[in-house]
Amino acid sequence: MNDTTQLPPLPDHLSIDPRSPHHDAEIFKHPVGIRFNGKERTDVEEYCISEGWIKVAAGKTLDRKGRPMLIKLKGTVEAYYAV
């Protein structure tokens, strides 16, 4: 059951927003973990491994469409399946 060979490979750039071109529903059928600068992060909205950044919500601030405002943090990004 915990066979990682049947899991799809994690992309370089992934977003949890279904409207984003970087969203992949197949990936989210399995729990995905993000390690940023050596620490586990559970609040990541979007990441890019090759460019070395994550986007997280900026507190409770919302944009004019009611979505959370995001800030970009730069550093070392590691994505993995949390099995």
Side-chain angles (χ1 to χ4, degrees), residues 17 19 57 60-70:
D17 185 6
R19 295 180 300 266
K60 295 182 179 180
T61 308
L62 301 176
D63 67 5
R64 62 184 173 197
K65 296 182 180 179
R67 296 185 298 242
M69 294 283 284
L70 302 177

Side-chain angles (χ1 to χ4, degrees), residues 16-59:
I16 64 170
D17 185 6
R19 295 180 300 266
S20 171
H22 302 290
H23 179 79
D24 187 355
E26 279 295 312
I27 299 293
F28 292 113
K29 290 182 180 179
H30 311 283
V32 175
I34 302 294
R35 191 174 295 115
F36 181 69
N37 289 337
K39 295 185 180 181
E40 302 293 321
R41 297 292 300 244
T42 58
D43 58 345
V44 176
E45 299 275 332
E46 186 173 353
Y47 73 80
C48 183
I49 296 171
S50 64
E51 295 178 15
W53 56 260
I54 61 171
K55 288 187 181 180
V56 295

